Amino acid sequence: MILVPSLWLSGCGTPEPSAAPPPPEVGVVTLHNETAVLSSELPGRVVAAETSEVRPQVNGIIRHRLFEEGSIVEAGQLLYEIEDAPYRAALRSAQAALTRAEASINATRLQAERYQELASLKAASRQDADNAQAAADQASAEVEVQQAAIHAAKVDLGFTRIRAPISGRIGRSLVTPGALVQAGQAQPLATIQRTDVVHVDVMQSAAETLDLREAMLAGDLIHDSDSVPVELLLPNGNVYPIEGQLQFSEISVNPTTGAVTLRASFANPDDMLLPGMYVRARLSDGVRQQAILAPQQGITRDVRGRAVALIVDAEGKVEQRFVTAERAIGNRWMVTEGLHPGDQLIVEGRHRASSGALVTSKPWAPSSQPASPQVSTTNPGE
C-alpha cells in the first residue's frame, strides 16, 4: 500500500522544455555607392531635315510631268511644265510696247530741246517749253515701265517650268498632265523631303527638365561632355544602329501638354527612318557618382502603395523602412531616400521576415548579373 503512491509520483515528474526554433534564414545584399549613367526614354516622331511642298506660281494647264515618283531629285531639276503659250504672248506684247516707247523717246527729246531754244528767243511760251520737257520725261519713264513689264513677263514664263526647290526624295504626284493648277492653291503638286539626315522631336515634361537642371546645379549629376548622345528605339523594338546627338531644346513650354520639345539629329543613309515614324529616344541625362542601386526583389509596396525595404541591423533584427525608388536600372531600383551604404537589404526570404524579428542573414547570390548602370525614368513611386 505504500509503494503505489511513490510509483505514481515518480511517473508524473515535470517534462523538460523543447528547444526554440532557430531564426529564419534570409538572403541579403550589402548596399554601397555606385556610379550610374542616368538616361530618359521619351516618345518622339521622325521629321525630315528639309521638307518642301512643290506649288505652282502661275495659272495654267499641266503639260508634262518630268520625274519618277519616289525617286531622288536634285535642287533645280525640272519637275512639271505648264502650258506657256499665253505667257510667251504676254512677253512678246511687252517687248513690242518697249520698242514703241523707245521710238517716242527721240521725238519727244528733240521737241523739248527745240522748245527750250524758242523759249530762250521769246519765240515760244515758257509753258510750251515745260510741256515739251514733261512729255520727254514721260517717254523716258514709259521705257522703264515697259522694261519692268518685260521682266515680269519673263518671270511668269519661267514659272511655267516648275523646278525642285531642294534636293531629296519626291513623293507621289497629286496632279496629272491636263490638270488645271493655280497660283496659291492649297494642294501641293508633290512633296520633297531630304532624309539623308533626319530629326527626332521628343517631348519631356517641364518637371523632369527642372529636376535635371537642379540636380546639375547641385552637383548630383555630371555631364561627361557638351554633346548629349541619343539612342533610338524603333517601332519593332530594335535599336537604331547609328547614335544621334541632341541639337537643342525649345525655349518655351507647350501650354497644352506642359512639355518641352527636344530635337535630336540622326544620320539616315539607308532611309530606315521615315518621316512621321513613332520612335522612342533614350537620352543621357548625366552621371550620378553616389547612387544606391537596390535589387528590385528587395523593394515591395504596402497597402498604401509606399515603397518598402526590409533591412537587417547590426543585432540581426529586421527593420522596415520606407524608401524613395526614383528610377529603374534593369533589375534594380535607384533609391534616393531611405537606404544608405552598408545597409543589408533583404532580397530573399522576405516572407519569413517581419519587422523586429531576429533572422540569420547570408549573402544573396543572384542567378544573373545585374544590368549595367544606365537608368531610365520609370518611377515605381515613393
Side-chain angles (χ1 to χ4, degrees):
M1 296 299 293
I2 298 175
L3 293 176
V4 173
S6 62
L7 291 175
W8 180 82
L9 290 173
S10 64
C12 295
T14 303
E16 294 183 2
S18 59
E25 188 176 69
V26 295
V28 299
V29 169
T30 301
L31 302 176
H32 58 276
N33 286 327
E34 301 183 45
T35 298
V37 178
L38 308 188
S39 64
S40 300
E41 190 172 302
L42 305 171
R45 293 279 183 183
V46 178
V47 181
E50 292 182 347
T51 300
S52 176
E53 294 182 338
V54 180
R55 297 179 185 275
Q57 294 177 278
V58 292
N59 303 335
I61 301 295
I62 295 293
R63 187 165 61 185
H64 299 294
R65 174 170 66 85
L66 304 171
F67 66 91
E68 188 72 24
E69 294 174 313
S71 64
I72 299 295
V73 297
E74 299 295 333
Q77 180 178 332
L78 190 59
L79 303 178
Y80 295 94
E81 287 185 358
I82 294 177
E83 180 58 52
D84 59 358
Y87 299 98
R88 290 189 180 277
L91 176 59
R92 287 196 295 269
S93 176
Q95 289 171 338
L98 175 62
T99 303
R100 181 177 58 192
E102 289 174 342
S104 66
I105 283 183
N106 288 334
T108 55
R109 179 176 56 82
L110 292 174
Q111 186 178 16
E113 291 175 355
R114 286 195 296 269
Y115 268 98
Q116 290 294 336
E117 293 176 0
L118 292 174
S120 63
L121 298 173
K122 306 297 183 181
S125 67
R126 189 74 252 174
Q127 182 64 47
D128 291 339
D130 291 342
N131 291 341
Q133 184 61 46
D137 294 341
Q138 185 175 0
S140 298
E142 183 65 21
V143 170
E144 295 181 1
V145 169
Q146 297 306 323
Q147 287 174 342
I150 288 177
H151 179 71
K154 288 182 178 179
V155 170
D156 288 343
L157 181 61
F159 283 155
T160 62
R161 302 295 187 266
I162 301 177
R163 301 181 182 275
I166 62 173
S167 299
R169 187 175 298 278
I170 192 168
R172 63 189 179 95
S173 176
L174 299 179
V175 295
T176 59
L180 173 65
V181 296
Q182 295 178 319
Q185 66 180 35
Q187 183 187 45
L189 307 183
T191 300
I192 303 173
Q193 295 178 317
R194 185 169 73 86
T195 57
D196 56 336
V197 175
V198 297
H199 303 309
V200 175
D201 291 341
V202 298
M203 306 295 289
Q204 185 177 50
S205 69
E208 291 178 359
T209 303
L210 289 175
D211 289 342
L212 291 175
R213 291 183 179 178
E214 290 175 356
M216 289 180 186
L217 291 175
D220 296 333
L221 286 181
I222 301 173
H223 262 302
D224 293 335
S225 62
D226 294 334
S227 62
V228 178
V230 182
E231 187 179 51
L232 208 60
L233 303 178
L234 300 177
N236 59 2
N238 295 332
V239 177
Y240 185 62
I242 301 177
E243 186 179 79
Q245 295 293 327
L246 184 66
Q247 298 297 317
F248 70 93
S249 63
E250 282 285 3
I251 60 174
S252 59
V253 177
N254 188 317
T256 303
T257 62
V260 178
T261 300
L262 311 177
R263 169 164 286 186
S265 292
F266 291 82
N268 189 32
D270 299 326
D271 287 335
M272 186 180 297
L273 300 177
L274 302 177
M277 180 183 290
Y278 174 82
V279 293
R280 295 191 68 83
R282 187 176 293 149
L283 287 73
S284 174
D285 295 331
V287 177
R288 188 183 291 273
Q289 300 289 350
Q290 305 293 327
I292 298 294
L293 302 178
Q296 290 186 355
Q297 299 94 316
I299 306 296
T300 58
R301 294 188 176 279
D302 61 8
V303 293
R304 297 175 59 183
R306 296 175 295 182
V308 178
L310 296 180
I311 304 299
V312 178
D313 62 15
E315 299 177 356
K317 292 184 178 180
V318 177
E319 177 187 351
Q320 178 179 285
R321 293 185 190 173
F322 297 106
V323 301
T324 300
E326 185 178 281
R327 297 171 178 245
I329 178 172
N331 59 357
R332 295 190 289 178
W333 293 119
M334 186 178 73
V335 179
T336 55
E337 295 182 8
L339 296 178
H340 310 284
D343 286 342
Q344 292 190 339
L345 175 67
I346 298 178
V347 179
E348 185 179 9
R350 288 178 56 93
H351 61 285
R352 297 191 294 269
S354 59
S355 181
L358 285 172
V359 293
T360 301
S361 61
K362 67 174 183 178
W364 177 64
S367 57
S368 61
Q369 294 296 326
S372 60
Q374 293 188 357
V375 183
S376 70
T377 56
T378 305
N379 193 339
E382 301 178 2

